[in-house]
Amino acid sequence: MEIDSNIPPPTPAPPKDPILSSSPAFATPVAPIQRTTTRSLPLANPPRPTVLPILLPPPILRPHAVRVLTKKHGLNVQTSALQALATFIGRHCGTGWREEGLGEQVLEEVARMWKKSSGDVIVKDEGDSLKGILKSLEACMSGGKVVQRGGLSRQGSLQTETSRAGIGDRQESFGMSSLGVEDEEQDESRDPRAWLKVIGAFEQPRLAYNTTKKHFEHTQTPPSLFPPPSHKTELFRQRYNLIHARLLRNESFQPPTLENQPRHKLSRSDSSLTQNYTITPIANLLGRSGTSHLLLGLITRAPTGGLLLTDLSGGINLNLQHTQPTVGVDGAWFCPGMIVLVDGVYEEDAQAYGATGTTSGALGDIGGVGGTIGGRFVAFSIAHPPAERRNATLGITDSTDSAAATHGGFGWMDFLGVGSERAVGTRMRRVQQRCFDMDAPHSGNKKVVVLGEVELDVPRSLQALRKILSSYADLEPSEMPISFILTGNFVKYAALAGGSSGGSIEYKECFDALASVLGDFPQLLRHATFVFVPGDNDPWASAFSAGAATPLPRQSIPGLFTSRVRRAFAEANREGEKSKDRIKVEGQAIWTSNPTRVSMFGPNEEIVIFRDDISGRFRRTGLRFGAKEEEHDNSAQPDEGQAAQIEDAMEVEQLSEAPLPVVDTLSPSVISTRKLVRTILDQSHLSPFPLSIRPVLWDYASSLSLYPLPSTLILADPEAPAFALTYEGCHVMNPGRLVREGRGKTAGWVEYDVTTRKGDVKEIAF
């Protein structure tokens, strides 16, 4: 075989591990070096937050399963299925299954998947349905929460039933509309006005307390202005049931257990501090003459002119000759129509009965008539039912409020139609914090201006209003108030009532004058929400009441009188678009009912606005009690314990930062203010009067309830002095009259801070 000499010799293979030198005498290798890159292996599943499993007994989970599965979705749970659910929730939710609502979130998803896959009304653990559902949820559990995974489609059971665009879209019972599997808050508006919602009395959900289920239910019957007579009885029954249930949750009315039972001591004062009270039904007084009892009942007037104390079991004649209020004579008002606690002795009237047991028919004897038992109840002390803080009612855990952590509350109840506390409360608090951060564009928009008795037919009122608006118009847009709340009466005399009060043309001219004043401040109209609450002198109710007390709640002012004001807001928003002053939330004017509620950030902030001359009505109908004889001897030395109790219960927000004065040196205006606020909040009702004194629309009476207590109560009463006061966590404000009487040209109003929940009474000369 010949070898061709022209073929070059084969190139030797490069070494496997070539070593390069920095010297130019060595050439580079023929074959380039193959560089290898190390790649990290992707994790099949990202690390999940660890949850400490717990052993959850099925009886502990049963109330929550009944609330979610049975009451909301109409499903019944077998014992074996409840055991499986308790094991699953205890393993994957841990200790946060109750406090953070993780357990009920799992039950919610189980109910949706069960109804979609099976359709049976009984949740069983026999087949593979429940096991498959729990296996699917197990892949979606992370840190105790149900999150989206690749193996579970969002189009399935985890898809929310309503959009997350607004918190107003809600489900019927538990306010779960805004409850998402994951919070998506990055695209939400950071303008506080985007989270402001005005809820009129006729738009508020109509709720009724069920004493059997210990829960609120939506009233199914449609409301009517001419309901059957049974609805009148239900009005007072609901008030009594709510207060009675509230008292049973109070520690003073709970029977002692082995844990909190006091030790036996010789000291009498120590045992009195741990005394537990028991409420006796009035019907149980029969045959127990001469015994002491504590009664809870409604004070009413008897046909003979005396006083009756009535509860759901019966009524009894009430003797207040030796009665003293527990908070003092100037501590609270007591009027017919209020539900109070009375401590005293029952006395049977043996002379009213003959030998055969029939009544003698003496004048003033009402024994046995209308459910009233014979005899009388001699009262020694009388008191209002203690109010319950909002956090305790909603079950919000607060370090400063121990009662909130001990009671379950109604956290899943949607009282306003904006979502429940347990569903959207935590998320709304995060949204509020983002809106008022230091670097947020609207961090300074945290004020609410409240003006009372804006009489548009008085020239001085328009001058005062112009002066107040000009003081805020000079601010930067990021410092302007969120809202301006104007309460009536908007005319001095009743409109459309005939005589010299004026007709519809004169009334419309008043709002035309208001529109001309507002038109001079287009910057305020674009960056604020104006809310108008009518009074008794405003139509249409004033047409037949002539300024007297109209039925509550009452409708808003008709739109045919306010067209010019609406046009002023439309022009201001249009000018903002032309000047490139574009904002996401435009200014608007809202004409609402009386009373009305303003919700900010869902259930996190609830402001109740009520316009009424309630202080004068208390003075006309209040019961009078005689002073104690000891008070005349020791008038200069007040009880230190009582003084400390009053100071701890109430906190007056004064203009100066000086400490509160001693009880015996308080001004009469401060005493009357505390007396007014304590009465309304303890009664948890805006109109604790008989229907003959303050009429109420029976089917809309739930809108007058103050349970749970709101965050803020604006009590616009021109007959009471302006104040800002906090009682049991509820901040109560009264702006007083816009033009101060007897002060010359002085305008007054209240400025409320949403972040601190404190009001400040302000005055300015015009």
Side-chain angles (χ1 to χ4, degrees), residues 12 41 55 114 196 224 238 271 357 365 374 385 405 409 415 428 453 456 468 475 494 507 522-523 557 593 662 683:
L41 296 178
L55 183 61
W114 179 269
L196 186 146
S224 173
Q238 283 295 321
S271 61
D365 177 27
F415 290 95
M428 286 294 102
E453 203 70 8
L456 302 177
I468 295 175
L475 300 176
Y507 188 78
Q523 190 80 350
I557 298 176
S593 62
V662 188
Q683 287 293 313

Short mmCIF file of all heavy atoms in Angstrom, two decimals, residues 12 41 55 114 196 224 238 271 357 365 374 385 405 409 415 428 453 456 468 475 494 507 522-523 557 593 662 683:
data_model
loop_
_atom_site.label_atom_id
_atom_site.label_comp_id
_atom_site.label_asym_id
_atom_site.label_seq_id
_atom_site.Cartn_x
_atom_site.Cartn_y
_atom_site.Cartn_z
N PRO A 12 -2.12 15.70 15.76
CA PRO A 12 -2.28 14.96 17.03
C PRO A 12 -3.43 15.54 17.86
O PRO A 12 -3.69 16.73 17.85
CB PRO A 12 -0.94 15.14 17.72
CG PRO A 12 -0.38 16.40 17.15
CD PRO A 12 -0.84 16.44 15.71
N LEU A 41 -30.62 23.14 40.01
CA LEU A 41 -31.84 22.39 39.72
C LEU A 41 -33.05 23.10 40.29
O LEU A 41 -33.04 23.53 41.45
CB LEU A 41 -31.73 20.98 40.32
CG LEU A 41 -30.62 20.10 39.74
CD1 LEU A 41 -30.59 18.77 40.46
CD2 LEU A 41 -30.80 19.90 38.23
N LEU A 55 -53.99 19.38 67.74
CA LEU A 55 -55.06 18.39 67.82
C LEU A 55 -56.36 19.12 68.09
O LEU A 55 -56.60 19.60 69.20
CB LEU A 55 -54.77 17.37 68.92
CG LEU A 55 -55.78 16.23 69.07
CD1 LEU A 55 -55.85 15.41 67.79
CD2 LEU A 55 -55.44 15.34 70.26
N TRP A 114 -67.82 20.88 47.55
CA TRP A 114 -68.80 19.80 47.79
C TRP A 114 -70.08 20.05 46.99
O TRP A 114 -70.62 19.13 46.38
CB TRP A 114 -69.10 19.70 49.27
CG TRP A 114 -70.12 18.64 49.60
CD1 TRP A 114 -71.46 18.79 49.67
CD2 TRP A 114 -69.84 17.27 49.84
NE1 TRP A 114 -72.07 17.60 49.97
CE2 TRP A 114 -71.10 16.63 50.08
CE3 TRP A 114 -68.69 16.50 49.90
CZ2 TRP A 114 -71.18 15.27 50.37
CZ3 TRP A 114 -68.78 15.15 50.18
CH2 TRP A 114 -70.02 14.55 50.42
N LEU A 196 -64.54 55.70 50.55
CA LEU A 196 -65.62 56.34 51.30
C LEU A 196 -66.95 55.99 50.64
O LEU A 196 -67.12 56.17 49.43
CB LEU A 196 -65.41 57.86 51.33
CG LEU A 196 -66.38 58.69 52.19
CD1 LEU A 196 -65.65 59.88 52.79
CD2 LEU A 196 -67.55 59.20 51.35
N SER A 224 -92.30 48.00 54.28
CA SER A 224 -93.50 48.72 53.89
C SER A 224 -93.70 49.89 54.83
O SER A 224 -93.33 49.83 56.01
CB SER A 224 -94.72 47.79 53.93
OG SER A 224 -95.91 48.52 53.71
N GLN A 238 -86.99 43.44 69.50
CA GLN A 238 -85.61 43.40 69.02
C GLN A 238 -84.70 44.24 69.91
O GLN A 238 -83.57 43.83 70.21
CB GLN A 238 -85.56 43.91 67.58
CG GLN A 238 -86.03 42.90 66.54
CD GLN A 238 -85.13 41.68 66.48
OE1 GLN A 238 -83.91 41.78 66.57
NE2 GLN A 238 -85.73 40.53 66.32
N SER A 271 -65.30 41.03 98.50
CA SER A 271 -66.32 40.18 97.89
C SER A 271 -67.29 40.98 97.04
O SER A 271 -67.84 40.47 96.09
CB SER A 271 -67.08 39.43 98.99
OG SER A 271 -67.73 40.36 99.85
N GLY A 357 -110.23 36.28 95.47
CA GLY A 357 -109.10 36.43 94.57
C GLY A 357 -109.33 37.42 93.47
O GLY A 357 -108.47 37.60 92.62
N ASP A 365 -105.45 50.79 90.23
CA ASP A 365 -105.07 49.39 90.28
C ASP A 365 -105.09 48.82 88.88
O ASP A 365 -106.11 48.83 88.19
CB ASP A 365 -106.05 48.62 91.17
CG ASP A 365 -105.73 47.14 91.22
OD1 ASP A 365 -104.55 46.81 91.03
OD2 ASP A 365 -106.66 46.35 91.43
N GLY A 374 -99.86 41.74 89.79
CA GLY A 374 -100.28 42.56 90.90
C GLY A 374 -99.11 42.98 91.77
O GLY A 374 -98.01 42.42 91.72
N PRO A 385 -78.06 49.78 80.93
CA PRO A 385 -77.22 48.61 80.62
C PRO A 385 -75.85 49.08 80.14
O PRO A 385 -75.75 49.98 79.31
CB PRO A 385 -77.99 47.89 79.51
CG PRO A 385 -79.39 48.41 79.60
CD PRO A 385 -79.28 49.81 80.11
N ALA A 405 -60.84 39.77 73.28
CA ALA A 405 -60.20 38.49 73.07
C ALA A 405 -60.96 37.35 73.71
O ALA A 405 -60.77 36.20 73.35
CB ALA A 405 -58.76 38.54 73.62
N GLY A 409 -67.96 37.31 69.45
CA GLY A 409 -68.46 38.46 68.72
C GLY A 409 -69.14 38.06 67.42
O GLY A 409 -69.35 36.89 67.10
N PHE A 415 -72.84 44.21 58.71
CA PHE A 415 -73.89 45.09 59.22
C PHE A 415 -74.24 46.21 58.24
O PHE A 415 -75.35 46.72 58.29
CB PHE A 415 -73.47 45.69 60.56
CG PHE A 415 -73.42 44.71 61.70
CD1 PHE A 415 -72.24 44.09 62.04
CD2 PHE A 415 -74.56 44.39 62.41
CE1 PHE A 415 -72.18 43.18 63.08
CE2 PHE A 415 -74.53 43.49 63.45
CZ PHE A 415 -73.33 42.88 63.78
N MET A 428 -58.59 45.72 54.86
CA MET A 428 -58.90 47.14 54.82
C MET A 428 -57.98 47.95 55.72
O MET A 428 -57.65 49.09 55.41
CB MET A 428 -60.36 47.36 55.23
CG MET A 428 -61.38 46.96 54.18
SD MET A 428 -61.30 47.98 52.70
CE MET A 428 -60.42 46.89 51.58
N GLU A 453 -76.51 72.88 61.41
CA GLU A 453 -77.53 73.93 61.33
C GLU A 453 -77.12 75.00 60.32
O GLU A 453 -76.98 76.19 60.63
CB GLU A 453 -77.75 74.55 62.71
CG GLU A 453 -79.09 75.22 62.88
CD GLU A 453 -80.26 74.24 62.93
OE1 GLU A 453 -80.02 73.01 62.97
OE2 GLU A 453 -81.41 74.69 62.91
N LEU A 456 -79.67 78.22 55.16
CA LEU A 456 -79.34 78.92 53.92
C LEU A 456 -80.18 80.16 53.70
O LEU A 456 -79.83 80.99 52.84
CB LEU A 456 -79.49 77.96 52.73
CG LEU A 456 -78.63 76.68 52.80
CD1 LEU A 456 -78.92 75.80 51.61
CD2 LEU A 456 -77.15 77.03 52.88
N ILE A 468 -65.40 79.70 56.12
CA ILE A 468 -64.83 78.38 56.44
C ILE A 468 -64.26 77.73 55.19
O ILE A 468 -63.16 77.15 55.21
CB ILE A 468 -65.90 77.51 57.11
CG1 ILE A 468 -66.32 78.10 58.45
CG2 ILE A 468 -65.40 76.08 57.29
CD1 ILE A 468 -67.45 77.36 59.13
N LEU A 475 -55.32 75.57 51.03
CA LEU A 475 -54.43 74.44 51.25
C LEU A 475 -54.06 73.78 49.93
O LEU A 475 -54.73 73.94 48.91
CB LEU A 475 -55.08 73.41 52.18
CG LEU A 475 -55.48 73.89 53.58
CD1 LEU A 475 -56.21 72.78 54.32
CD2 LEU A 475 -54.27 74.37 54.37
N ALA A 494 -90.01 75.75 58.92
CA ALA A 494 -90.40 74.58 58.14
C ALA A 494 -90.84 74.99 56.74
O ALA A 494 -91.67 75.89 56.57
CB ALA A 494 -91.53 73.83 58.85
N TYR A 507 -87.65 77.74 48.67
CA TYR A 507 -86.72 76.73 49.17
C TYR A 507 -85.63 76.42 48.14
O TYR A 507 -84.45 76.25 48.49
CB TYR A 507 -87.48 75.45 49.53
CG TYR A 507 -86.63 74.41 50.24
CD1 TYR A 507 -86.35 74.54 51.59
CD2 TYR A 507 -86.12 73.31 49.56
CE1 TYR A 507 -85.57 73.60 52.25
CE2 TYR A 507 -85.35 72.37 50.21
CZ TYR A 507 -85.07 72.52 51.55
OH TYR A 507 -84.29 71.58 52.19
N PRO A 522 -63.86 75.97 43.26
CA PRO A 522 -63.86 74.75 42.43
C PRO A 522 -62.81 73.74 42.86
O PRO A 522 -62.99 72.53 42.65
CB PRO A 522 -63.57 75.30 41.02
CG PRO A 522 -62.87 76.60 41.26
CD PRO A 522 -63.45 77.17 42.52
N GLN A 523 -61.72 74.22 43.47
CA GLN A 523 -60.68 73.29 43.91
C GLN A 523 -61.21 72.37 45.01
O GLN A 523 -60.92 71.16 45.03
CB GLN A 523 -59.47 74.08 44.42
CG GLN A 523 -58.24 73.24 44.67
CD GLN A 523 -57.47 72.93 43.41
OE1 GLN A 523 -57.97 73.19 42.30
NE2 GLN A 523 -56.29 72.36 43.55
N ILE A 557 -83.32 65.09 50.78
CA ILE A 557 -83.97 66.23 50.13
C ILE A 557 -84.20 65.90 48.66
O ILE A 557 -83.30 65.37 47.99
CB ILE A 557 -83.09 67.48 50.28
CG1 ILE A 557 -82.95 67.83 51.76
CG2 ILE A 557 -83.67 68.66 49.51
CD1 ILE A 557 -82.03 68.99 52.03
N SER A 593 -80.10 60.30 53.70
CA SER A 593 -81.21 60.28 54.64
C SER A 593 -80.74 60.74 56.02
O SER A 593 -79.57 61.03 56.25
CB SER A 593 -81.80 58.87 54.73
OG SER A 593 -80.81 57.96 55.21
N VAL A 662 -61.60 68.65 88.44
CA VAL A 662 -62.22 67.77 89.40
C VAL A 662 -63.71 67.72 89.11
O VAL A 662 -64.30 68.62 88.52
CB VAL A 662 -61.95 68.26 90.84
CG1 VAL A 662 -62.41 67.24 91.86
CG2 VAL A 662 -60.45 68.53 91.00
N GLN A 683 -77.89 53.05 75.74
CA GLN A 683 -79.12 52.52 75.17
C GLN A 683 -78.89 51.89 73.80
O GLN A 683 -79.74 51.12 73.33
CB GLN A 683 -80.16 53.63 75.05
CG GLN A 683 -80.77 54.06 76.36
CD GLN A 683 -81.61 52.96 76.98
OE1 GLN A 683 -82.43 52.32 76.33
NE2 GLN A 683 -81.39 52.73 78.27
#
